[in-house]
């Protein structure tokens, strides 16, 4: 799958992860030469936005809080550029305490709210890991604070900047690994089942009509789409029609891949749940109840077909 195709299918959470990765790469590059630039102030609001997304907040709320959370960064980056190359201890006197509050505040609040939350999705696992690592980075940032203010060398000669750099490498590894796993998952979802060239593909409209009828019965009567592990092999065995015939019918008659066709039934079912039960179920529960194996895949297919995320659709439905 092409990278451009993958980028078009990024969920808002994956977009936040991508932005965080790019920021940390840039921060790592300037860490040893310019540690006065207020880059750390950006991370807390991003972490909070990631948490809000996993908590099914609407994108409008996330974007609003993200904008408000970045006010300290906007203030200090303006101050930083006004100073230019001039060293000003007043800047650090205000910047360091606020940076430490941001560095410790967001991870503490997020970890507290995630306490007892089962890590059923990769997103929750990633966020918990980043918050735990953020707490470790706080220790080293705090040592910089102590050294500047009361001349106490907590780590006895170890440069805290080096320790922060090592922690950032671990953070970058987790972020890149997450995005790679999502790329691989999307690639698997988008695979078009090839039609065997040596098989006799049906040209008879009667055969195609029979295939279409059996597939509709399997979905609408037997409701096989609710099986999150439904494969083309399993479907073929259930309806008694060769995989090549099913693939030919889906690709040439409906112009859909197997997974796209399957998602149409699952999305229809999810919309019915959201319309009828509203906020009684979490988005993740709706995803699993509709046959999706992960909330991320559910959000992506739902956004593609409905135009909004499931959480936004639920809010719209409650107003009707």
């Amino acid at each position: 799958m092409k990278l451009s195709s993958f980028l078009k299918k990024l969920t808002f959470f994956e977009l936040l992860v991508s932005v965080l990765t790019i920021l940390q790469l840039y921060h790592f590059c300037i860490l040893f030469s310019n540690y006065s630039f207020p880059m750390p102030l950006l991370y807390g609001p991003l972490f909070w936005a990631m948490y809000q997304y996993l908590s099914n907040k609407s994108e409008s709320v996330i974007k609003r809080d993200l904008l408000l959370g970045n006010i300290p960064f906007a203030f200090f980056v303006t101050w930083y550029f006004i100073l230019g190359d001039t060293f000003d201890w007043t800047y650090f006197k205000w910047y360091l305490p606020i940076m430490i509050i941001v560095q410790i505040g967001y991870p503490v609040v997020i970890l507290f709210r995630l306490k007892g939350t089962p890590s059923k999705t990769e997103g929750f696992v990633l966020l918990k890991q980043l918050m735990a690592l953020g707490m470790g980075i706080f220790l080293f940032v705090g040592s910089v604070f102590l050294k500047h203010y009361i001349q106490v060398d907590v780590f006895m000669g170890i440069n805290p900047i080096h320790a922060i750099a090592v922690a950032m490498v671990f953070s970058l590894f987790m972020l890149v690994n997450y995005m790679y796993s999502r790329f691989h998952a999307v690639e698997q979802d988008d695979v078009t089942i090839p039609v065997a060239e040596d098989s006799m593909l049906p040209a008879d409209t009667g055969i195609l009509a029979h295939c279409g009828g059996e597939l509709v019965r399997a979905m609408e009567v037997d409701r096989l789409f609710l099986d999150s592990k439904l494969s083309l092999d399993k479907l073929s065995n259930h309806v008694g029609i060769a995989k090549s015939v099913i693939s030919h019918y889906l690709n040439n008659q409906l112009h859909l891949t197997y997974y796209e066709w399957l998602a149409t039934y699952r999305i229809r079912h999810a919309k019915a749940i959201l319309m009828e039960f509203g906020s009684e179920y979490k988005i993740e529960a709706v995803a699993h109840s509709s046959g999706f194996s992960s909330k991320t895949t559910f959000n992506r297919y739902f956004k593609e077909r409905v135009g909004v995320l499931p959480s936004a659709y639920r809010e719209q439905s409650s107003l009707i």
Side-chain angles (χ1 to χ4, degrees):
M1 182 181 62
K2 293 182 179 179
L3 180 60
S4 58
S5 176
F6 170 67
L7 293 176
K8 291 178 182 178
K9 296 180 178 181
L10 286 178
T11 65
F12 191 67
F13 182 82
E14 290 159 1
L15 180 62
L16 291 171
V17 173
S18 301
V19 171
L20 181 61
T21 305
I22 293 170
L23 288 176
Q24 288 208 345
L25 279 170
Y26 176 71
H27 192 187
F28 182 81
C29 292
I30 68 170
L31 183 64
F32 294 97
S33 60
N34 187 359
Y35 53 82
S36 58
F37 188 73
M39 183 75 75
L41 297 179
L42 289 171
Y43 299 144
L46 272 174
F47 292 145
W48 182 249
M50 292 165 68
Y51 166 75
Q52 286 183 305
Y53 180 89
L54 294 175
S55 301
N56 301 322
K57 298 294 184 181
S58 65
E59 285 191 18
S60 59
V61 172
I62 297 173
K63 291 176 181 177
R64 180 202 64 195
D65 290 353
L66 194 58
L67 183 63
L68 292 174
N70 279 310
I71 290 177
F73 171 78
F75 174 79
F76 280 102
V77 79
T78 302
W79 192 351
Y80 172 86
F81 282 117
I82 290 175
L83 289 175
D85 296 329
T86 306
F87 178 84
D88 188 349
W89 175 241
T90 305
Y91 170 84
F92 283 97
K93 184 179 179 180
W94 288 97
Y95 167 58
L96 284 176
I98 292 177
M99 179 184 67
I100 289 176
I101 292 172
V102 170
Q103 289 277 51
I104 189 64
Y106 281 101
V108 166
V109 172
I110 292 172
L111 282 174
F112 177 78
R113 295 200 175 194
L114 289 176
K115 185 180 180 181
T117 303
S119 301
K120 293 183 178 179
T121 65
E122 291 182 88
F124 271 114
V125 173
L126 175 68
L127 188 58
K128 286 183 177 180
Q129 290 173 338
L130 289 174
M131 294 304 93
L133 189 60
M135 295 293 288
I137 292 177
F138 161 73
L139 296 176
F140 299 109
V141 173
S143 70
V144 175
F145 177 82
L146 291 174
K147 190 173 182 179
H148 274 289
Y149 272 82
I150 57 178
Q151 284 72 51
V152 174
D153 191 354
V154 179
F155 291 97
M156 295 177 292
I158 299 176
N159 190 338
I161 300 299
H162 293 165
I164 293 172
V166 172
M168 288 182 68
V169 170
F170 279 103
S171 177
L172 284 168
F173 173 79
M174 290 189 292
L175 292 168
V176 172
N177 182 65
Y178 174 83
M179 291 305 296
Y180 175 77
S181 68
R182 297 314 311 147
F183 177 82
H184 183 68
V186 171
E187 188 177 39
Q188 289 294 104
D189 283 347
D190 287 345
V191 170
T192 302
I193 307 299
V195 178
E197 294 182 0
D198 57 350
S199 62
M200 296 298 292
L201 297 179
D204 192 318
T205 55
I207 296 176
L208 293 176
H210 171 70
C211 178
E214 288 300 303
L215 292 179
V216 169
R217 182 182 63 79
M219 293 296 110
E220 298 187 0
V221 178
D222 300 332
R223 297 163 69 85
L224 293 189
F225 63 87
L226 295 178
D227 180 2
S228 62
K229 297 182 179 180
L230 182 66
S231 63
L232 185 57
D233 283 319
K234 188 182 293 188
L235 176 63
S236 174
N237 291 332
H238 182 86
V239 299
I241 299 175
K243 292 190 299 181
S244 59
V245 176
I246 296 175
S247 296
H248 178 77
Y249 175 79
L250 295 177
N251 296 337
N252 293 278
Q253 298 297 313
L254 303 184
H255 307 291
L256 295 171
T257 68
Y258 169 69
Y259 288 104
E260 288 171 342
W261 169 74
L262 193 56
T264 59
Y265 287 95
R266 291 172 172 171
I267 293 299
R268 185 189 305 171
H269 184 73
K271 287 172 66 178
I273 295 176
L274 292 170
M275 285 285 290
E276 184 175 356
F277 298 101
S279 59
E280 292 183 28
Y281 293 98
K282 291 185 177 180
I283 296 299
E284 188 174 15
V286 175
H288 289 297
S289 299
S290 304
F292 287 96
S293 58
S294 74
K295 178 183 170 184
T296 301
T297 303
F298 173 52
N299 281 336
R300 179 167 60 83
Y301 275 119
F302 199 97
K303 180 72 177 292
E304 287 178 359
R305 283 156 178 73
V306 183
V308 295
L309 286 171
S311 55
Y313 182 83
R314 180 171 59 186
E315 290 180 6
Q316 293 172 4
S317 300
S318 66
L319 299 176
I320 298 176

